[in-house]
Amino acid sequence: RLAARGFVRQRVARLRLGTAARPSRANVGSGHDASSRAPALPARTWRTTRRASDDGTYAGWHLPDASKARGMRVETLFVLETNVDDLSPQIVAYALEEMLAAGALDAWSVAATMKKGRMGSLLCALCDKTHVDTLCEILFQETSSLGVRVRACDRVSLDRSFVAVDLGVGEEGEEGDSVHVKVARLGGETVNAHPEYDECAAVARKTNTPLKTVFREAVDAYFKQNPSS
C-alpha cells in the first residue's frame, strides 16, 4: 500500500514499548519509516519516456547517440494481428501475399490452438502508420476475422543498402549474371550480406546451378568487390 501511494520503505525498524501490563503477550510494537522520495534509479542505456507520438498516446524508445552513430536507428511501427480457425491454408497464404503487396513491411502466420481445441492461425503484419487502415481492410475482406488488434511498437534496425554484384563471365565470353545483395552495416562494418532470393533463383534456373551455390557465389563476389567492407 505504501508503494502504491508513492512511498518507499526504508530498512529502518523501530521498536515501541508500551506501559500497560498484558500477561498474554508482550506490549511491544514495531514499525518502519517510509519516505515519499524514491531513491535514484541507475542510468540505463535504453529507456522509455512518456513522450507523445503522432497519435498522442505512445511512449517510445530512445537510442543513445553512440548507437545512432554506429548505424542503428529506431522507428515507430504498428503490429496487426488476428486469430482465425475456419480458413483454408490457401486463403491464409493469399491474405499474407495481399498485405505484402499493399505495403506491409512483413506478414506472417503462426499456428495456434484456439478455443475448443481447434487448430487455427494467428495472422500478423508489420507496417507504418499510413498502411494500418489498408491492411485492416484486407484482413476483413480476405479472411473471416471480425476484429484486428493493433498495437504500436518500436523497431531498432541497422542501416542497409542494396549492392549489385557480378557473378562472373558466362559461357563463350557472354556477360555474366548479376544479382543484388542486401547489406547491413554496424559501425561502418558489414555484419550481414544476403543475396536477393528471386534474382538468385532466376540465375539458378537459367544456369542449372544449385541455388545454394548461387547464394555462396553472390556473397563471395560481394566481399571480393568490396574488400574494405
Side-chain angles (χ1 to χ4, degrees):
R1 287 183 302 216
L2 288 173
R5 297 172 61 182
F7 290 88
V8 177
R9 179 176 290 179
Q10 298 178 345
R11 294 185 178 180
V12 179
R14 300 181 185 277
L15 297 179
R16 298 289 188 269
L17 301 178
T19 58
R22 300 180 184 275
S24 60
R25 63 173 184 246
N27 190 10
V28 179
S30 65
H32 293 268
D33 287 350
S35 171
S36 60
R37 182 177 181 181
L41 296 176
R44 292 182 295 174
T45 302
W46 297 80
R47 68 185 189 278
T48 53
T49 61
R50 299 306 301 176
R51 65 173 174 83
S53 62
D54 294 337
D55 59 5
T57 60
Y58 183 66
W61 289 90
H62 278 191
L63 274 176
D65 293 337
S67 296
K68 294 179 182 179
R70 288 175 54 80
M72 300 172 67
R73 58 193 176 99
V74 61
E75 54 189 331
T76 299
L77 300 175
F78 291 83
V79 176
L80 284 62
E81 57 184 25
T82 186
N83 298 69
V84 293
D85 62 0
D86 55 356
L87 278 184
S88 164
Q90 289 92 340
I91 296 179
V92 171
Y94 182 81
L96 297 179
E97 293 174 356
E98 288 296 291
M99 288 192 291
L100 288 172
L105 299 173
D106 200 0
W108 64 97
S109 66
V110 181
T113 302
M114 311 290 286
K115 59 185 177 183
K116 300 181 180 180
R118 298 170 182 166
M119 295 304 298
S121 298
L122 172 63
L123 306 184
C124 307
L126 181 69
C127 66
D128 58 27
K129 184 179 67 172
T130 61
H131 290 88
V132 172
D133 292 343
T134 300
L135 298 184
C136 284
E137 186 172 342
I138 291 176
L139 286 171
F140 289 137
Q141 288 181 340
E142 300 294 346
T143 75
S144 56
S145 172
L146 301 179
V148 178
R149 299 181 294 275
V150 180
R151 55 184 172 84
C153 70
D154 281 324
R155 180 176 74 170
V156 180
S157 57
L158 296 176
D159 287 338
R160 66 197 67 182
S161 61
F162 289 91
V163 179
V165 298
D166 187 3
L167 295 183
V169 179
E171 297 181 357
E172 299 180 358
E174 295 180 357
E175 184 178 352
D177 296 292
S178 64
V179 298
H180 286 86
V181 177
K182 182 190 293 185
V183 179
R185 295 183 175 87
L186 178 62
E189 180 182 355
T190 298
V191 294
N192 193 18
H194 195 278
E196 287 295 282
Y197 166 78
D198 289 335
E199 296 177 3
C200 289
V203 172
R205 294 188 178 101
K206 175 183 175 181
T207 60
N208 195 27
T209 303
L211 178 60
K212 62 182 180 180
T213 301
V214 178
F215 273 151
R216 184 173 61 250
E217 291 179 352
V219 173
D220 291 343
Y222 166 76
F223 284 104
K224 288 179 180 178
Q225 297 173 25
N226 300 273
S228 60
S229 296

